[in-house]
Amino acid sequence: MTVDVTGDLMPAPARAAGAIHPLWLRVTHWINAVAVVIMIGSGWEIYNASPLFPFTFPRDITIGGWLAGALLWHFAAMWLLAVNGLVYVVLGIGTGRFRRKLLPVRAGEVVADTRLALRGELSYDDLTVYNAVQKLFYLGVIVASIVIVLSGLAMWKPVQLWWLAALFGGYEPARYVHFFAMAAIVGFFVLHVVMAFLVPKSLRAMITGR
Ligand code: HEM
Ligand code: HEM
């Protein structure tokens, strides 16, 4: 393992072969994908026990079977999600990847790239750079993930973490924040997976690194 001039942690052979995504990114990305699926599925079952809105999620697509089972899944996978997410954010900042790949996001570029995307003219030839829409969505989902973890922690330990619960305005508002962050992550997820399969070489790069 060496640190190259761009600050990416990557094994020398992978770098020599021109890897697009370093190993740490691929590992944390796929662990995150598994953790998020478990958190959404179990979260929907928790929601069904006491719905915030006049609808419930179909039992077939929830995880845990009933409230207590779902809570067990939710509180088990939350460690996977939070620890893995922390590793990703620390390495993303520490290696300079966020600065190089996700920043800056300029409004003009987002508008221009959205227009191109809607016309199906956005180029995905160079997988080493993200377009402005991707940058915005990746940063957005990272922020939504931080919000969902903090609001989740506020509901998990509202007494010990009273200051965190207070930050959200109390337990009940934290539930709504948690729910809407989930909705944002689900929206991102659907679009993100569709794009991954529309541009299969990007999916290959997220698996093999190249
Ligand atoms: C550290 C991370 C997390 C913690 C500590 C946490 C904790 C909790 C707690 C305590 C509840 C029960 C709230 C209640 O019904 O009163 C809950 C509900 C829920 N969680 Fe999480 N959660 C976390 C992450 C996530 C993630 C990543 C997702 C999905 C992307 C998610 C989705 C949901 C959903 C949909 C509900 C049901 C909403 C409701 O009716 O309140 N959670 N979570
Ligand atoms: C089965 C599910 C998933 C698939 C197939 C998938 C696929 C991919 C692919 C192919 C890329 C590279 C995009 C490119 O090079 O143009 C990527 C990057 C990314 N994905 Fe996913 N993904 C999945 C789930 C998720 C989930 C659940 C999240 C977050 C909630 C997520 C967050 C991200 C982020 C933030 C990046 C950018 C990473 C970086 O460069 O630092 N993905 N994903």
Side-chain angles (χ1 to χ4, degrees):
M1 198 67 108
T2 51
V3 181
D4 70 12
V5 283
T6 55
D8 248 342
L9 285 168
M10 198 184 280
R15 266 190 306 137
I20 298 165
H21 300 305
L23 185 64
W24 67 263
L25 176 82
R26 286 176 278 142
V27 171
T28 51
H29 177 271
W30 292 117
I31 290 178
N32 177 68
V34 173
V36 168
V37 169
I38 298 175
M39 294 310 276
I40 294 171
S42 56
W44 286 352
E45 183 66 40
I46 300 171
Y47 169 93
N48 281 353
S50 160
L52 288 167
F53 303 100
F55 68 86
T56 55
F57 295 95
R59 263 282 160 82
D60 294 341
I61 54 165
T62 66
I63 295 174
W66 62 307
L67 177 60
L71 282 168
L72 284 179
W73 276 100
H74 213 67
F75 293 143
M78 87 180 189
W79 294 110
L80 192 63
L81 179 97
V83 172
N84 181 68
L86 199 63
V87 170
Y88 168 69
V89 171
V90 167
L91 285 176
I93 295 171
T95 62
R97 181 182 176 88
F98 285 0
R99 191 168 28 80
R100 276 180 290 114
K101 296 251 182 179
L102 302 180
L103 296 169
V105 189
R106 296 198 176 88
E109 287 174 6
V110 172
V111 173
D113 283 353
T114 305
R115 285 215 182 99
L116 285 175
L118 293 177
R119 276 191 256 130
E121 291 170 5
L122 205 51
S123 163
Y124 294 97
D125 287 344
D126 184 359
L127 292 178
T128 62
V129 285
Y130 291 139
N131 62 58
V133 181
Q134 278 177 301
K135 287 184 189 177
L136 185 72
F137 273 88
Y138 293 155
L139 285 171
V141 83
I142 291 168
V143 170
S145 302
I146 292 170
V147 168
I148 209 165
V149 168
L150 293 181
S151 56
L153 290 174
M155 293 188 292
W156 180 47
K157 297 279 178 199
V159 179
Q160 291 91 328
L161 301 176
W162 58 270
W163 47 273
L164 195 56
L167 192 72
F168 289 101
Y171 190 97
E172 204 53 28
R175 260 194 90 180
Y176 282 93
V177 171
H178 203 70
F179 185 90
F180 286 116
M182 177 277 296
I185 292 171
V186 170
F188 165 85
F189 197 132
V190 172
L191 206 67
H192 185 63
V193 174
V194 168
M195 287 311 296
F197 285 93
L198 285 180
V199 189
K201 65 178 180 176
S202 75
L203 183 57
R204 194 174 59 233
M206 193 40 101
I207 297 167
T208 66
R210 283 182 273 142

